C-alpha cells in the first residue's frame, strides 16, 4: 500500500479538497507595528494533510490559510496589514491542488475592495495546459494583479532545458502576463528546478518584457549570494526584476537594504511579504524593521510604497 492510500486519499483531487477545516480567528498582535504595511505574499485556502517525506501518516505542517473574507480580514487586522496580495496555498504533490484555489482568490479579491489583490496559479508543465488555460481566462477579474508559478511540483526555470511543448506552455503564460502588464511571482529555493541560476537564464531571455518577481530573494544562502551579486547588473541592464524579503536569511536582507540605501539601484523593486501561514509575520517584519543604519525612506518603500506601485495602483 502506498503512502497516499495509507493516508486515506482515494484520489488526487480528494487529497486536495479536505472535507473539514479549522481556522483559528486571530486577535490583534500586542507587539505594536507602528508602520504602514502591505504584504505581497500571503496564502489562502486549505491544504490537505499529506504523508510528507519519511512520514507514514498524513499531517498538516502549517495552519490553513484564510478561506473567507472574514478570515482574511481577521488575519490582516491581527498583524496590522493594510493591504495584501493573496496566492493559492500549495505544498502537496498534487498538480490540480493549487489550481483549485484560483476561484477562491478571485472571490476574495472581489470582496476585498482596494485592500486585497491576487495572483492566479499557473504551471509551465504541459500536463497542466488545460488547467493553466482556464486560469488565464480569469485574468481581468477585479484585483487580479499577478500570476504565480513554482517548480517545486516539477519542471525547471531554465529555458535552455525546456522541450518544445514546455517552451510553448511558458510562452503562452508569459504573453498573457505581458498583455496584462502584471508580474509573475516565481518561488525560488536552492537546487533543483527552482534554483536561482535557472531564473538568471529566464531573465536574460524574457526579462526585458516580462515582469519577473523572485519570491524569497533567490532562496537560501547560495541563492541569496548569487542574487545579490547580479542585482545591480539586472536592474541597470533594463530587466524588469522584483524581489520580496519573505523567507530570506537575515544577512541577505541586511545587505540588500544597505545597498539600496547606498546606491538607490532597484530601490523601487523590493517589497515586503510575510508568507503566512508558512512563515510568520512578526519575524518577517522585524527582519526589515530591525536593520540598523538604513534610511526610513527605504523601509517605507519596502513595507508599502513599492507594493502600492507594483500591485495596488489602478
Amino acid at each position: 500500500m502506498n503512502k497516499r492510500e495509507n493516508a486515506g486519499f482515494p484520489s488526487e483531487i480528494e487529497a486536495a479538497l479536505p472535507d473539514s477545516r479549522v481556522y483559528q480567528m486571530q486577535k490583534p498582535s500586542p507587539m505594536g507595528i507602528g508602520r504602514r504595511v502591505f504584504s505581497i505574499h500571503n496564502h489562502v485556502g486549505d491544504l490537505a494533510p499529506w504523508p510528507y517525506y519519511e512520514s507514514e501518516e498524513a499531517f498538516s505542517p502549517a495552519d490553513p490559510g484564510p478561506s473567507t473574507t472574514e478570515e482574511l480580514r481577521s488575519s490582516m487586522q491581527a498583524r496590522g496589514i493594510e493591504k495584501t496580495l493573496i496566492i493559492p496555498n500549495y505544498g502537496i504533490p498534487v498538480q490540480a491542488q493549487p489550481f483549485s484555489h484560483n476561484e477562491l482568490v478571485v472571490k476574495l479579491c472581489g470582496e476585498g475592495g482596494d485592500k486585497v489583490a491576487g495572483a492566479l496559479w499557473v504551471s509551465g508543465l504541459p500536463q497542466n495546459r488545460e488547467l493553466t488555460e482556464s486560469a488565464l481566462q480569469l485574468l481581468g477579474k477585479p484585483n487580479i494583479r499577478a500570476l504565480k508559478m513554482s517548480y517545486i511540483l516539477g519542471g525547471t526555470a531554465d529555458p535552455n532545458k525546456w522541450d518544445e511543448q514546455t517552451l510553448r506552455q511558458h510562452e503562452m503564460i508569459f504573453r498573457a502576463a505581458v498583455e496584462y502588464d502584471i508580474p509573475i511571482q516565481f518561488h525560488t529555493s536552492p537546487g533543483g528546478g527552482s534554483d536561482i541560476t535557472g531564473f538568471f537564464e529566464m531573465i536574460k531571455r524574457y526579462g526585458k518584457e516580462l515582469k519577473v518577481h523572485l519570491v524569497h530573494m533567490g532562496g537560501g544562502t547560495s541563492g541569496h549570494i548569487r542574487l545579490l551579486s547580479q542585482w545591480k547588473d539586472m536592474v541597470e541592464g533594463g530587466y524588469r526584476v522584483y524581489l520580496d524579503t519573505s523567507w530570506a536569511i537575515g544577512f541577505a536582507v541586511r545587505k540588500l537594504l544597505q545597498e539600496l540605501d547606498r546606491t538607490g539601484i532597484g530601490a523601487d523593486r523590493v517589497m515586503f511579504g510575510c508568507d503566512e501561514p508558512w512563515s510568520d509575520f512578526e519575524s518577517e517584519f522585524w527582519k526589515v524593521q530591525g536593520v540598523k543604519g538604513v534610511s526610513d525612506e527605504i523601509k517605507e518603500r519596502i513595507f508599502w510604497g513599492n507594493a502600492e506601485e507594483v500591485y495596488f495602483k489602478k
Side-chain angles (χ1 to χ4, degrees), residues 73-131:
R73 186 180 297 118
S74 169
S75 174
M76 293 170 65
Q77 290 176 345
R79 294 164 176 81
I81 297 172
E82 181 179 336
K83 296 184 181 183
T84 188
L85 185 139
I86 56 175
I87 62 178
N89 204 357
Y90 73 103
I92 61 175
V94 178
Q95 295 292 336
Q97 181 273 319
F99 286 99
S100 72
H101 287 324
N102 279 341
E103 291 287 353
L104 174 62
V105 169
V106 170
K107 179 177 183 291
L108 295 178
C109 285
E111 295 174 351
D114 64 352
K115 304 296 185 184
V116 180
L120 299 171
W121 185 273
V122 293
S123 168
L125 296 176
Q127 70 196 77
N128 294 327
R129 186 174 183 87
E130 290 186 6
L131 290 168

Side-chain angles (χ1 to χ4, degrees), residues 48-179:
W50 193 263
Y52 290 92
Y53 303 114
E54 296 80 20
S55 175
E56 293 295 331
E57 296 184 4
F59 70 102
S60 297
D63 293 338
S67 286
T68 67
T69 292
E70 182 184 14
E71 291 173 354
L72 180 59
R73 186 180 297 118
S74 169
S75 174
M76 293 170 65
Q77 290 176 345
R79 294 164 176 81
I81 297 172
E82 181 179 336
K83 296 184 181 183
T84 188
L85 185 139
I86 56 175
I87 62 178
N89 204 357
Y90 73 103
I92 61 175
V94 178
Q95 295 292 336
Q97 181 273 319
F99 286 99
S100 72
H101 287 324
N102 279 341
E103 291 287 353
L104 174 62
V105 169
V106 170
K107 179 177 183 291
L108 295 178
C109 285
E111 295 174 351
D114 64 352
K115 304 296 185 184
V116 180
L120 299 171
W121 185 273
V122 293
S123 168
L125 296 176
Q127 70 196 77
N128 294 327
R129 186 174 183 87
E130 290 186 6
L131 290 168
T132 294
E133 288 175 340
S134 295
L136 294 177
Q137 290 176 7
L138 298 173
L139 288 174
K141 295 287 187 180
N143 298 325
I144 296 300
R145 303 288 170 79
L147 297 174
K148 169 68 177 182
M149 297 181 70
S150 174
Y151 298 99
I152 289 178
L153 300 183
T156 175
D158 186 349
N160 299 311
K161 298 178 180 179
W162 297 343
D163 61 22
E164 186 61 31
Q165 280 189 308
T166 304
L167 174 66
R168 289 200 300 269
Q169 178 94 349
H170 278 82
E171 292 192 342
M172 173 183 70
I173 295 168
F174 294 174
R175 283 194 301 271
V178 171
E179 178 185 350

Side-chain angles (χ1 to χ4, degrees), residues 3 7 23 45 66 104 107 111 121 124 127 139 151 175 177 198 216 225 230 232 244 265 298 305-306 310:
K3 288 187 177 182
Y23 184 86
L104 174 62
K107 179 177 183 291
E111 295 174 351
W121 185 273
Q127 70 196 77
L139 288 174
Y151 298 99
R175 283 194 301 271
H216 310 322
I225 293 172
Q230 299 298 312
K232 176 177 179 291
D244 69 65
I265 297 171
I298 291 296
N306 292 339
V310 176

